[in-house]
Amino acid sequence: MNSEPLNRFLYGSKLRAYALMRRTTYVLTILSVGLLVYAHGVVESPVKLRFLYYAIDAILAVFVLIYVLRILYSFERVKFLRRTWFEGTLMAIILVNQVGTYLLGFPVVYNLFEGIGIPLSVEIYRVLVSLYMLVLLIVELLETRVHLKTLQVKPAIIFLMSFVLLIGIGTALFMLPKMTTVPGGMRFIDALFMATSASCITGLTVIDPGTYLTFSGQVVLLMLVQLGGLGVMTFATFFAMLMREGIGIRHHVAMYEIMESESISFTKGLLRKLIIMTLSIEAIGALLIFMTWEWNTEFDVTGSKIFFAIFHSISGFCNAGFSLYPQGLYSDPLRSWYTMHLVIAGLMILGGIGFPTIIDLFSPKAMRARMEAPWRNWKLLTRVTVYTSAGLLAFGTIAFFLLEYFNTLSHLNFVESLITSFFQSATTRSGGYHTVDISAVSVPALLIMMILMFIGASPGSMGGGIKTTTFTVIILSVWRTIVGKKNVEIGNRTIPHTVSYKAFAVFTFAVVFNVFFLIILSISDSKFDILRLAFEQISAFATVGLSTGITAGLSDAGKTVIILSMYIGRVGTLTLALAISTRAYTTAYKYPDTHLAVG
């Protein structure tokens, strides 16, 4: 088919049409998101809700029309469809559902999901489409040249502010009347606490998400966990790639610095794999959790069972530790479901070892290369991450087993005690779930758990703490000093002194922040003993989410301290320091050496 006459006819109006479509998309996206928030967070009247949903569906229909016009005006239409396949698929789903609902009287999305017991399917569908359009709008604005010229900020600043924005949006949503089951909504400080805990994938709570939050509130909580786990910048960059043939060097440099990748080219390849691998692992985890629910578990409909499985899978892999049960996995009868415990422990471990390590271990390309060359070793980062994580996991399991065998594990047999000890060791690496009563754990076991929490997960992962690689570099640097070696060596490689300095800087910042905030907590919440406060503080800073049960009882000042700890722990002490620091004008000089007495 010759499209040349059509292209000539449209050529003269192309610029005006694109400008009009862009402005219309901006306005309608903001309007649709606003209507959704108003409908799900405020409006109670069924008549008003029906009217709002009609308006939202009309906006979605306009999005389809705009996409069709973009196809017509893009002259190379096949290339355009290949480049925007994701958006095209979404628009096709909207078109089929709109035609079925309003022309044929057969709501496709409703009939498809309600038939298997998934409630509110149409509302979730509208929310997802509108959020997708909002993300596209944000990416479009960030990619505009005018903004790139006026916003010359460090990638670290962008990273910090993205979490501030996410926390602010989450706080506002949690305060809406329909997000909670109690009249009057959530207090500001509690909403801020929950939004920070979810965005920073910590898991500390001042309310019971399963009973205090409505279904809409639980969905908001889950979305904050998912966005906070992968990072707003990651999602923005991923959607930018879905919209276009590629992304600019600015995005690559930002992701390179934020994710601490080995190279910019590696970051480019990592982004696509990161989203796909995350969704795949979470889907497999949800399926396994769904299959491990015991027969006596009570669910109203199959949809609730599916939602619970998805919620705990995402929360587990993101190392968030949120649960829809009052006491988490320690609730009856979950505390005795050891198969599910192992599934969630596996999700927490995968989420804590870091995406570069996961890709080096499990990506099809890496596995094929290893099969062709079995003698080929893992990358050094992978070896350090896996061996250190395995060592800490084994140490935590053995220590908890020996210290708690006659305490919190006394009612269990040997195998159950071993699985429970393994789970507590895995969860201290930033997981947040627990299958024992943490308030009853002995002091020595609490101290070991605090050490493991402080070390935390690995770089490029969902977890917090000072990271396993930092811990390894510090141990090797100390050993080098003791034996009198000139360089820090590992795996027949020399670690540069700058890496050692960075490791000690991270450790120093972490210690200073925790001690400072602990002093404030000891003043604001002196009703709790110092050990419980220290456990709470380190759990917040390492974004773990374990607690001895004092979180809800903290004063507003104490909650504010924990909020700051969770935020600083998530963005990283070094990232925060780099964001607020100024670079030296020059380092091309050296003062004479001197000696100080140390030790």
Side-chain angles (χ1 to χ4, degrees), residues 300-353:
D300 297 332
V301 291
T302 305
S304 297
K305 188 175 181 180
I306 294 173
F307 179 73
F308 270 59
I310 293 173
F311 187 98
H312 288 84
S313 177
I314 293 176
S315 182
F317 181 69
C318 290
N319 279 225
F322 286 105
S323 177
L324 297 179
Y325 290 93
Q327 294 179 286
L329 300 187
Y330 186 64
S331 303
D332 277 325
L334 272 66
R335 67 177 68 174
S336 60
W337 295 358
Y338 298 104
T339 304
M340 188 183 71
H341 296 174
L342 291 175
V343 171
I344 293 180
L347 289 170
M348 292 189 297
I349 292 170
L350 285 174
I353 63 175

Side-chain angles (χ1 to χ4, degrees), residues 473-486:
V473 171
I474 289 174
I475 294 298
L476 292 175
S477 298
V478 171
W479 177 251
R480 180 210 59 157
T481 303
I482 292 174
V483 300
K485 284 188 176 182
K486 183 177 181 181

Side-chain angles (χ1 to χ4, degrees), residues 4-16:
E4 189 64 24
L6 178 61
N7 292 346
R8 289 180 179 178
F9 174 75
L10 296 174
Y11 183 77
S13 60
K14 182 175 181 178
L15 293 179
R16 292 193 301 273

Side-chain angles (χ1 to χ4, degrees), residues 364-399:
K365 180 180 178 181
M367 294 179 74
R368 280 196 304 269
R370 205 165 290 121
M371 290 178 64
E372 294 172 358
W375 59 86
R376 184 178 178 183
N377 208 341
W378 298 336
K379 294 180 181 179
L380 182 59
L381 174 63
T382 302
R383 279 178 278 161
V384 172
T385 298
V386 171
Y387 296 150
T388 306
S389 298
L392 292 172
L393 188 61
F395 168 74
T397 301
I398 296 171

